Amino acid sequence: MELLLLSSSTKHGTGFLEHAMPAVTELLAGRDRLLFVPFAKQDHDGYEATVQAAVAPHGITVEGIHRAADPVAAVRDAQAVFIGGGNTFRLLAALHRLGLLTALREAVRGGTPYMGASAGTNMACPSLRTSNDMPIVQPPSFEAIGLVPFQINPHYLDPDPGSTHMGETREQRIAEFLEDNDVPVLGVREGSWLRVRGERAELGGATGARLFARGSEPRELEPGEDVTFLLSTEPHFDS
């Protein structure tokens, strides 16, 4: 598989996909069409236009799957797929409704490059359980595409020791997840991403990540670090 799983589509001070464009163009090398899945946001046409503006200078034409008469066939025919960010629950509900989970899984495992950002990165995990979103709609299942066997928490925020906010930190929420699920969670900070090339996985970008696992202290991961070991994870949910 060829995966590019971005924590976010934007980084403070940069335009849409600008911070990750070298990684984007490397993933899409030799391809001039990109199938875009905009279902995490309500304005599908506007979202498609945003992506098109970002990649047009690189000779890539964006095709919104919401325009396809047969979305499953569109996935099967795609040169590459990009699932954008927004609300993860809305996105997953749409993928279930349109019967796209199996089509996406089969296409990407068969070699179609996959890019996700934020909610789209959540979709590459086995489940949406480590999403940051409010459940504004109810999908029929938490099951996602499952391209990687572990969980990712996009937009990961480190605890602020000076904060007076009394709500849970991201680290506390992930710790709660691990109390009931024995699945590693990769907390990817904005500005970083996971790149999977076949049997190898590497952390890209500039801001690094933190790895959480049941029974272990969180581990800091540096940009460029090899995380191939995560691909051999055996996830256990409700454990």
Side-chain angles (χ1 to χ4, degrees):
M1 293 187 298
E2 293 288 331
L3 311 177
L4 177 60
L5 305 179
L6 306 169
S7 175
S8 57
S9 54
T10 57
K11 181 184 176 184
H12 181 70
T14 66
F16 190 86
L17 292 179
E18 184 180 354
H19 72 288
M21 193 55 71
V24 172
T25 54
E26 182 263 333
L27 179 79
L28 301 179
R31 296 169 175 86
D32 58 10
R33 292 188 294 111
L34 177 64
L35 182 67
F36 178 57
V37 181
F39 298 136
K41 292 190 177 182
Q42 188 177 53
D43 182 3
H44 299 161
D45 290 347
Y47 205 179
E48 179 190 31
T50 296
V51 178
Q52 180 63 82
V55 300
H58 304 280
I60 298 167
T61 299
V62 174
E63 302 168 346
I65 196 172
H66 62 291
R67 301 180 186 277
D70 185 342
V72 171
V75 168
R76 291 173 180 161
D77 293 340
Q79 290 186 3
V81 175
F82 174 31
I83 301 185
N87 186 276
T88 308
F89 289 84
R90 173 192 280 156
L91 170 60
L92 184 57
L95 297 184
H96 277 282
R97 183 174 66 251
L98 296 170
L100 289 172
L101 288 180
T102 298
L104 286 162
R105 189 179 299 123
E106 291 177 350
V108 178
R109 289 179 177 174
T112 302
Y114 177 97
M115 180 167 67
S118 189
T121 288
N122 282 324
M123 290 301 94
C125 302
S127 169
L128 59 55
R129 297 187 196 203
T130 51
S131 167
N132 304 311
D133 301 318
M134 183 176 289
I136 62 173
V137 298
Q138 182 170 313
S141 167
F142 283 177
E143 179 190 356
I145 305 171
L147 302 174
V148 295
F150 53 92
Q151 291 295 121
I152 298 174
N153 178 245
H155 302 280
Y156 177 76
L157 282 172
D158 294 290
D160 179 1
S163 175
T164 58
H165 177 64
M166 296 304 294
E168 295 172 317
T169 65
R170 194 70 56 79
E171 182 172 332
Q172 288 171 320
R173 289 178 176 176
I174 293 173
E176 286 181 341
F177 168 82
L178 291 171
E179 289 171 352
D180 288 294
N181 304 278
D182 190 4
V183 189
V185 181
L186 186 65
V188 185
R189 300 183 182 95
E190 291 184 352
S192 286
W193 54 82
L194 180 72
R195 181 69 168 94
V196 177
R197 298 178 179 89
E199 301 299 320
R200 299 190 62 80
E202 180 181 291
L203 188 64
T207 53
R210 294 188 88 200
L211 179 62
F212 300 85
R214 179 184 278 187
S216 303
E217 289 297 314
R219 173 183 165 188
E220 183 69 22
L221 299 176
E222 300 296 331
E225 191 157 343
D226 188 320
V227 290
T228 300
F229 64 93
L230 287 173
L231 297 179
S232 60
T233 296
E234 294 185 10
H236 299 282
F237 292 94
D238 301 310
S239 171

mmCIF file of all heavy atoms in Angstrom, residues 129-170:
data_model
loop_
_atom_site.group_PDB
_atom_site.id
_atom_site.type_symbol
_atom_site.label_atom_id
_atom_site.label_comp_id
_atom_site.label_asym_id
_atom_site.label_seq_id
_atom_site.Cartn_x
_atom_site.Cartn_y
_atom_site.Cartn_z
ATOM 1 N N ARG A 129 -12.634 5.538 16.913
ATOM 2 C CA ARG A 129 -12.695 5.747 18.362
ATOM 3 C C ARG A 129 -11.684 6.749 18.898
ATOM 4 O O ARG A 129 -11.827 7.207 20.034
ATOM 5 C CB ARG A 129 -12.501 4.417 19.094
ATOM 6 C CG ARG A 129 -13.587 3.404 18.813
ATOM 7 C CD ARG A 129 -13.421 2.191 19.706
ATOM 8 N NE ARG A 129 -14.207 1.062 19.223
ATOM 9 C CZ ARG A 129 -14.605 0.056 19.998
ATOM 10 N NH1 ARG A 129 -14.292 0.042 21.279
ATOM 11 N NH2 ARG A 129 -15.292 -0.934 19.487
ATOM 12 N N THR A 130 -10.659 7.093 18.140
ATOM 13 C CA THR A 130 -9.691 8.083 18.622
ATOM 14 C C THR A 130 -9.819 9.395 17.863
ATOM 15 O O THR A 130 -8.892 10.188 17.788
ATOM 16 C CB THR A 130 -8.254 7.542 18.528
ATOM 17 O OG1 THR A 130 -8.011 7.027 17.209
ATOM 18 C CG2 THR A 130 -8.036 6.434 19.543
ATOM 19 N N SER A 131 -11.007 9.652 17.322
ATOM 20 C CA SER A 131 -11.315 10.940 16.708
ATOM 21 C C SER A 131 -11.489 12.009 17.783
ATOM 22 O O SER A 131 -11.796 11.715 18.946
ATOM 23 C CB SER A 131 -12.606 10.811 15.894
ATOM 24 O OG SER A 131 -13.109 12.067 15.536
ATOM 25 N N ASN A 132 -11.339 13.272 17.387
ATOM 26 C CA ASN A 132 -11.540 14.398 18.301
ATOM 27 C C ASN A 132 -12.928 15.030 18.153
ATOM 28 O O ASN A 132 -13.238 16.001 18.828
ATOM 29 C CB ASN A 132 -10.498 15.493 18.031
ATOM 30 C CG ASN A 132 -9.085 14.978 18.123
ATOM 31 O OD1 ASN A 132 -8.717 14.315 19.082
ATOM 32 N ND2 ASN A 132 -8.276 15.267 17.114
ATOM 33 N N ASP A 133 -13.764 14.487 17.269
ATOM 34 C CA ASP A 133 -14.973 15.180 16.840
ATOM 35 C C ASP A 133 -16.173 14.956 17.748
ATOM 36 O O ASP A 133 -16.271 13.956 18.452
ATOM 37 C CB ASP A 133 -15.359 14.727 15.433
ATOM 38 C CG ASP A 133 -14.270 14.990 14.414
ATOM 39 O OD1 ASP A 133 -13.676 16.067 14.486
ATOM 40 O OD2 ASP A 133 -14.026 14.119 13.576
ATOM 41 N N MET A 134 -17.139 15.885 17.628
ATOM 42 C CA MET A 134 -18.442 15.706 18.245
ATOM 43 C C MET A 134 -19.272 14.782 17.356
ATOM 44 O O MET A 134 -19.281 14.938 16.134
ATOM 45 C CB MET A 134 -19.141 17.059 18.401
ATOM 46 C CG MET A 134 -20.486 16.998 19.103
ATOM 47 S SD MET A 134 -21.207 18.647 19.349
ATOM 48 C CE MET A 134 -20.094 19.290 20.624
ATOM 49 N N PRO A 135 -20.002 13.818 17.917
ATOM 50 C CA PRO A 135 -20.794 12.887 17.106
ATOM 51 C C PRO A 135 -22.092 13.531 16.622
ATOM 52 O O PRO A 135 -23.179 13.262 17.128
ATOM 53 C CB PRO A 135 -21.052 11.720 18.061
ATOM 54 C CG PRO A 135 -21.003 12.336 19.419
ATOM 55 C CD PRO A 135 -19.991 13.436 19.345
ATOM 56 N N ILE A 136 -21.995 14.362 15.580
ATOM 57 C CA ILE A 136 -23.148 15.128 15.102
ATOM 58 C C ILE A 136 -24.146 14.259 14.341
ATOM 59 O O ILE A 136 -25.306 14.650 14.170
ATOM 60 C CB ILE A 136 -22.702 16.323 14.230
ATOM 61 C CG1 ILE A 136 -21.951 15.852 12.973
ATOM 62 C CG2 ILE A 136 -21.836 17.279 15.037
ATOM 63 C CD1 ILE A 136 -21.649 16.972 11.996
ATOM 64 N N VAL A 137 -23.695 13.107 13.860
ATOM 65 C CA VAL A 137 -24.587 12.115 13.259
ATOM 66 C C VAL A 137 -24.163 10.752 13.790
ATOM 67 O O VAL A 137 -23.071 10.610 14.356
ATOM 68 C CB VAL A 137 -24.536 12.121 11.721
ATOM 69 C CG1 VAL A 137 -24.986 13.457 11.161
ATOM 70 C CG2 VAL A 137 -23.145 11.780 11.209
ATOM 71 N N GLN A 138 -25.030 9.747 13.591
ATOM 72 C CA GLN A 138 -24.736 8.413 14.105
ATOM 73 C C GLN A 138 -24.492 7.441 12.962
ATOM 74 O O GLN A 138 -25.426 7.038 12.277
ATOM 75 C CB GLN A 138 -25.896 7.905 14.967
ATOM 76 C CG GLN A 138 -25.631 6.538 15.577
ATOM 77 C CD GLN A 138 -26.677 6.159 16.600
ATOM 78 O OE1 GLN A 138 -27.024 6.959 17.464
ATOM 79 N NE2 GLN A 138 -27.189 4.942 16.505
ATOM 80 N N PRO A 139 -23.231 7.058 12.739
ATOM 81 C CA PRO A 139 -22.963 6.032 11.722
ATOM 82 C C PRO A 139 -23.456 4.681 12.223
ATOM 83 O O PRO A 139 -23.596 4.468 13.439
ATOM 84 C CB PRO A 139 -21.438 6.061 11.583
ATOM 85 C CG PRO A 139 -20.937 6.606 12.878
ATOM 86 C CD PRO A 139 -21.991 7.535 13.393
ATOM 87 N N PRO A 140 -23.711 3.755 11.319
ATOM 88 C CA PRO A 140 -24.206 2.438 11.750
ATOM 89 C C PRO A 140 -23.170 1.627 12.522
ATOM 90 O O PRO A 140 -23.520 0.677 13.225
ATOM 91 C CB PRO A 140 -24.572 1.749 10.434
ATOM 92 C CG PRO A 140 -23.801 2.465 9.382
ATOM 93 C CD PRO A 140 -23.674 3.875 9.854
ATOM 94 N N SER A 141 -21.910 1.987 12.382
ATOM 95 C CA SER A 141 -20.826 1.279 13.058
ATOM 96 C C SER A 141 -19.651 2.226 13.200
ATOM 97 O O SER A 141 -19.539 3.206 12.466
ATOM 98 C CB SER A 141 -20.418 0.049 12.244
ATOM 99 O OG SER A 141 -19.185 -0.492 12.689
ATOM 100 N N PHE A 142 -18.768 1.957 14.166
ATOM 101 C CA PHE A 142 -17.526 2.714 14.287
ATOM 102 C C PHE A 142 -16.442 2.164 13.370
ATOM 103 O O PHE A 142 -15.357 2.726 13.286
ATOM 104 C CB PHE A 142 -17.010 2.674 15.730
ATOM 105 C CG PHE A 142 -17.733 3.594 16.674
ATOM 106 C CD1 PHE A 142 -17.403 3.607 18.027
ATOM 107 C CD2 PHE A 142 -18.734 4.445 16.240
ATOM 108 C CE1 PHE A 142 -18.053 4.455 18.906
ATOM 109 C CE2 PHE A 142 -19.395 5.296 17.104
ATOM 110 C CZ PHE A 142 -19.056 5.300 18.449
ATOM 111 N N GLU A 143 -16.709 1.073 12.692
ATOM 112 C CA GLU A 143 -15.713 0.454 11.810
ATOM 113 C C GLU A 143 -15.338 1.399 10.678
ATOM 114 O O GLU A 143 -16.202 1.910 9.966
ATOM 115 C CB GLU A 143 -16.248 -0.841 11.217
ATOM 116 C CG GLU A 143 -15.264 -1.509 10.262
ATOM 117 C CD GLU A 143 -15.877 -2.667 9.488
ATOM 118 O OE1 GLU A 143 -17.046 -2.999 9.738
ATOM 119 O OE2 GLU A 143 -15.181 -3.224 8.610
ATOM 120 N N ALA A 144 -14.035 1.612 10.499
ATOM 121 C CA ALA A 144 -13.528 2.446 9.415
ATOM 122 C C ALA A 144 -12.876 1.546 8.357
ATOM 123 O O ALA A 144 -13.120 0.342 8.316
ATOM 124 C CB ALA A 144 -12.560 3.488 9.951
ATOM 125 N N ILE A 145 -12.044 2.116 7.501
ATOM 126 C CA ILE A 145 -11.495 1.339 6.382
ATOM 127 C C ILE A 145 -10.478 0.309 6.864
ATOM 128 O O ILE A 145 -10.399 -0.798 6.349
ATOM 129 C CB ILE A 145 -10.858 2.272 5.334
ATOM 130 C CG1 ILE A 145 -11.877 3.317 4.867
ATOM 131 C CG2 ILE A 145 -10.365 1.473 4.130
ATOM 132 C CD1 ILE A 145 -11.279 4.410 3.987
ATOM 133 N N GLY A 146 -9.655 0.672 7.847
ATOM 134 C CA GLY A 146 -8.716 -0.293 8.415
ATOM 135 C C GLY A 146 -7.513 -0.580 7.546
ATOM 136 O O GLY A 146 -7.109 -1.736 7.376
ATOM 137 N N LEU A 147 -6.896 0.468 7.008
ATOM 138 C CA LEU A 147 -5.706 0.282 6.176
ATOM 139 C C LEU A 147 -4.460 0.046 7.018
ATOM 140 O O LEU A 147 -3.501 -0.570 6.561
ATOM 141 C CB LEU A 147 -5.518 1.491 5.265
ATOM 142 C CG LEU A 147 -6.698 1.801 4.340
ATOM 143 C CD1 LEU A 147 -6.453 3.105 3.585
ATOM 144 C CD2 LEU A 147 -6.949 0.652 3.370
ATOM 145 N N VAL A 148 -4.457 0.590 8.225
ATOM 146 C CA VAL A 148 -3.396 0.306 9.193
ATOM 147 C C VAL A 148 -4.047 -0.358 10.404
ATOM 148 O O VAL A 148 -5.234 -0.137 10.670
ATOM 149 C CB VAL A 148 -2.632 1.585 9.615
ATOM 150 C CG1 VAL A 148 -1.889 2.191 8.435
ATOM 151 C CG2 VAL A 148 -3.567 2.618 10.246
ATOM 152 N N PRO A 149 -3.310 -1.175 11.170
ATOM 153 C CA PRO A 149 -3.923 -1.948 12.251
ATOM 154 C C PRO A 149 -3.905 -1.254 13.611
ATOM 155 O O PRO A 149 -4.238 -1.885 14.621
ATOM 156 C CB PRO A 149 -3.070 -3.216 12.276
ATOM 157 C CG PRO A 149 -1.712 -2.739 11.885
ATOM 158 C CD PRO A 149 -1.944 -1.645 10.857
ATOM 159 N N PHE A 150 -3.522 0.010 13.653
ATOM 160 C CA PHE A 150 -3.461 0.763 14.904
ATOM 161 C C PHE A 150 -4.284 2.032 14.753
ATOM 162 O O PHE A 150 -4.819 2.322 13.673
ATOM 163 C CB PHE A 150 -2.007 1.093 15.263
ATOM 164 C CG PHE A 150 -1.257 1.783 14.156
ATOM 165 C CD1 PHE A 150 -1.195 3.164 14.075
ATOM 166 C CD2 PHE A 150 -0.612 1.045 13.166
ATOM 167 C CE1 PHE A 150 -0.520 3.806 13.042
ATOM 168 C CE2 PHE A 150 0.072 1.662 12.130
ATOM 169 C CZ PHE A 150 0.112 3.042 12.070
ATOM 170 N N GLN A 151 -4.392 2.791 15.833
ATOM 171 C CA GLN A 151 -5.184 4.013 15.814
ATOM 172 C C GLN A 151 -4.277 5.242 15.685
ATOM 173 O O GLN A 151 -3.112 5.221 16.118
ATOM 174 C CB GLN A 151 -6.008 4.134 17.095
ATOM 175 C CG GLN A 151 -7.122 3.101 17.213
ATOM 176 C CD GLN A 151 -8.179 3.277 16.149
ATOM 177 O OE1 GLN A 151 -8.441 2.369 15.367
ATOM 178 N NE2 GLN A 151 -8.807 4.442 16.087
ATOM 179 N N ILE A 152 -4.821 6.303 15.105
ATOM 180 C CA ILE A 152 -4.130 7.588 14.992
ATOM 181 C C ILE A 152 -5.010 8.659 15.610
ATOM 182 O O ILE A 152 -6.236 8.627 15.438
ATOM 183 C CB ILE A 152 -3.820 7.922 13.522
ATOM 184 C CG1 ILE A 152 -2.872 6.872 12.920
ATOM 185 C CG2 ILE A 152 -3.207 9.318 13.393
ATOM 186 C CD1 ILE A 152 -2.626 7.039 11.431
ATOM 187 N N ASN A 153 -4.398 9.575 16.334
ATOM 188 C CA ASN A 153 -5.117 10.755 16.815
ATOM 189 C C ASN A 153 -4.540 11.971 16.104
ATOM 190 O O ASN A 153 -3.458 12.442 16.444
ATOM 191 C CB ASN A 153 -4.980 10.913 18.328
ATOM 192 C CG ASN A 153 -5.666 12.158 18.847
ATOM 193 O OD1 ASN A 153 -5.023 13.072 19.346
ATOM 194 N ND2 ASN A 153 -6.979 12.221 18.721
ATOM 195 N N PRO A 154 -5.244 12.462 15.063
ATOM 196 C CA PRO A 154 -4.758 13.658 14.365
ATOM 197 C C PRO A 154 -4.886 14.906 15.238
ATOM 198 O O PRO A 154 -5.611 14.923 16.235
ATOM 199 C CB PRO A 154 -5.681 13.749 13.146
ATOM 200 C CG PRO A 154 -6.353 12.423 13.054
ATOM 201 C CD PRO A 154 -6.449 11.912 14.446
ATOM 202 N N HIS A 155 -4.203 15.950 14.846
ATOM 203 C CA HIS A 155 -4.228 17.236 15.572
ATOM 204 C C HIS A 155 -3.799 17.061 17.025
ATOM 205 O O HIS A 155 -4.289 17.769 17.908
ATOM 206 C CB HIS A 155 -5.631 17.859 15.559
ATOM 207 C CG HIS A 155 -6.204 18.121 14.205
ATOM 208 N ND1 HIS A 155 -5.873 19.220 13.446
ATOM 209 C CD2 HIS A 155 -7.115 17.418 13.485
ATOM 210 C CE1 HIS A 155 -6.570 19.181 12.308
ATOM 211 N NE2 HIS A 155 -7.308 18.097 12.305
ATOM 212 N N TYR A 156 -2.903 16.104 17.280
ATOM 213 C CA TYR A 156 -2.543 15.840 18.675
ATOM 214 C C TYR A 156 -1.976 17.088 19.333
ATOM 215 O O TYR A 156 -1.108 17.775 18.774
ATOM 216 C CB TYR A 156 -1.527 14.695 18.787
ATOM 217 C CG TYR A 156 -1.111 14.474 20.216
ATOM 218 C CD1 TYR A 156 -1.959 13.833 21.099
ATOM 219 C CD2 TYR A 156 0.098 14.976 20.693
ATOM 220 C CE1 TYR A 156 -1.620 13.671 22.435
ATOM 221 C CE2 TYR A 156 0.454 14.812 22.028
ATOM 222 C CZ TYR A 156 -0.416 14.164 22.892
ATOM 223 O OH TYR A 156 -0.073 14.027 24.220
ATOM 224 N N LEU A 157 -2.470 17.377 20.546
ATOM 225 C CA LEU A 157 -2.016 18.529 21.333
ATOM 226 C C LEU A 157 -1.353 18.050 22.608
ATOM 227 O O LEU A 157 -1.940 17.242 23.356
ATOM 228 C CB LEU A 157 -3.200 19.431 21.700
ATOM 229 C CG LEU A 157 -3.747 20.360 20.623
ATOM 230 C CD1 LEU A 157 -5.024 21.020 21.118
ATOM 231 C CD2 LEU A 157 -2.716 21.411 20.243
ATOM 232 N N ASP A 158 -0.159 18.532 22.888
ATOM 233 C CA ASP A 158 0.516 18.195 24.137
ATOM 234 C C ASP A 158 -0.156 18.902 25.307
ATOM 235 O O ASP A 158 -0.706 19.999 25.150
ATOM 236 C CB ASP A 158 1.989 18.615 24.062
ATOM 237 C CG ASP A 158 2.763 17.822 23.039
ATOM 238 O OD1 ASP A 158 2.996 16.635 23.273
ATOM 239 O OD2 ASP A 158 3.129 18.401 21.989
ATOM 240 N N PRO A 159 -0.125 18.301 26.500
ATOM 241 C CA PRO A 159 -0.678 18.974 27.672
ATOM 242 C C PRO A 159 0.024 20.312 27.919
ATOM 243 O O PRO A 159 1.244 20.414 27.764
ATOM 244 C CB PRO A 159 -0.403 17.994 28.815
ATOM 245 C CG PRO A 159 -0.215 16.659 28.149
ATOM 246 C CD PRO A 159 0.395 16.954 26.816
ATOM 247 N N ASP A 160 -0.755 21.326 28.284
ATOM 248 C CA ASP A 160 -0.203 22.643 28.599
ATOM 249 C C ASP A 160 -0.095 22.761 30.110
ATOM 250 O O ASP A 160 -1.109 22.870 30.808
ATOM 251 C CB ASP A 160 -1.118 23.733 28.052
ATOM 252 C CG ASP A 160 -0.622 25.140 28.368
ATOM 253 O OD1 ASP A 160 0.448 25.262 29.001
ATOM 254 O OD2 ASP A 160 -1.309 26.102 27.985
ATOM 255 N N PRO A 161 1.139 22.729 30.663
ATOM 256 C CA PRO A 161 1.293 22.756 32.126
ATOM 257 C C PRO A 161 0.786 24.042 32.755
ATOM 258 O O PRO A 161 0.508 24.079 33.957
ATOM 259 C CB PRO A 161 2.803 22.586 32.326
ATOM 260 C CG PRO A 161 3.419 23.022 31.045
ATOM 261 C CD PRO A 161 2.441 22.654 29.978
ATOM 262 N N GLY A 162 0.649 25.110 31.970
ATOM 263 C CA GLY A 162 0.185 26.376 32.520
ATOM 264 C C GLY A 162 -1.298 26.616 32.377
ATOM 265 O O GLY A 162 -1.820 27.647 32.799
ATOM 266 N N SER A 163 -2.022 25.627 31.783
ATOM 267 C CA SER A 163 -3.445 25.821 31.523
ATOM 268 C C SER A 163 -4.268 25.647 32.798
ATOM 269 O O SER A 163 -3.971 24.798 33.653
ATOM 270 C CB SER A 163 -3.920 24.822 30.470
ATOM 271 O OG SER A 163 -5.317 24.910 30.294
ATOM 272 N N THR A 164 -5.328 26.452 32.927
ATOM 273 C CA THR A 164 -6.270 26.318 34.047
ATOM 274 C C THR A 164 -7.556 25.632 33.597
ATOM 275 O O THR A 164 -8.510 25.541 34.372
ATOM 276 C CB THR A 164 -6.610 27.701 34.632
ATOM 277 O OG1 THR A 164 -7.163 28.533 33.593
ATOM 278 C CG2 THR A 164 -5.361 28.365 35.211
ATOM 279 N N HIS A 165 -7.601 25.166 32.353
ATOM 280 C CA HIS A 165 -8.779 24.467 31.833
ATOM 281 C C HIS A 165 -8.970 23.158 32.587
ATOM 282 O O HIS A 165 -8.029 22.379 32.758
ATOM 283 C CB HIS A 165 -8.591 24.191 30.341
ATOM 284 C CG HIS A 165 -9.712 23.424 29.723
ATOM 285 N ND1 HIS A 165 -10.988 23.925 29.647
ATOM 286 C CD2 HIS A 165 -9.748 22.185 29.157
ATOM 287 C CE1 HIS A 165 -11.764 23.047 29.045
ATOM 288 N NE2 HIS A 165 -11.040 21.979 28.745
ATOM 289 N N MET A 166 -10.200 22.898 33.041
ATOM 290 C CA MET A 166 -10.457 21.736 33.887
ATOM 291 C C MET A 166 -10.940 20.506 33.094
ATOM 292 O O MET A 166 -11.201 19.456 33.671
ATOM 293 C CB MET A 166 -11.509 22.093 34.951
ATOM 294 C CG MET A 166 -11.035 23.162 35.931
ATOM 295 S SD MET A 166 -9.496 22.718 36.775
ATOM 296 C CE MET A 166 -10.040 21.322 37.756
ATOM 297 N N GLY A 167 -11.084 20.634 31.780
ATOM 298 C CA GLY A 167 -11.465 19.476 30.974
ATOM 299 C C GLY A 167 -10.281 18.555 30.744
ATOM 300 O O GLY A 167 -9.134 18.867 31.084
ATOM 301 N N GLU A 168 -10.559 17.406 30.139
ATOM 302 C CA GLU A 168 -9.511 16.426 29.900
ATOM 303 C C GLU A 168 -8.533 16.908 28.829
ATOM 304 O O GLU A 168 -8.922 17.552 27.867
ATOM 305 C CB GLU A 168 -10.131 15.108 29.427
ATOM 306 C CG GLU A 168 -10.996 14.421 30.452
ATOM 307 C CD GLU A 168 -11.724 13.233 29.843
ATOM 308 O OE1 GLU A 168 -12.230 13.365 28.709
ATOM 309 O OE2 GLU A 168 -11.784 12.182 30.489
ATOM 310 N N THR A 169 -7.267 16.562 29.020
ATOM 311 C CA THR A 169 -6.285 16.776 27.960
ATOM 312 C C THR A 169 -6.401 15.643 26.938
ATOM 313 O O THR A 169 -7.043 14.614 27.190
ATOM 314 C CB THR A 169 -4.862 16.786 28.523
ATOM 315 O OG1 THR A 169 -4.566 15.478 29.052
ATOM 316 C CG2 THR A 169 -4.714 17.823 29.632
ATOM 317 N N ARG A 170 -5.780 15.816 25.789
ATOM 318 C CA ARG A 170 -5.787 14.758 24.787
ATOM 319 C C ARG A 170 -5.120 13.504 25.344
ATOM 320 O O ARG A 170 -5.573 12.384 25.075
ATOM 321 C CB ARG A 170 -5.060 15.249 23.532
ATOM 322 C CG ARG A 170 -5.266 14.392 22.305
ATOM 323 C CD ARG A 170 -6.684 14.499 21.773
ATOM 324 N NE ARG A 170 -7.056 15.866 21.490
ATOM 325 C CZ ARG A 170 -6.698 16.558 20.412
ATOM 326 N NH1 ARG A 170 -5.944 15.995 19.503
ATOM 327 N NH2 ARG A 170 -7.123 17.784 20.233
#
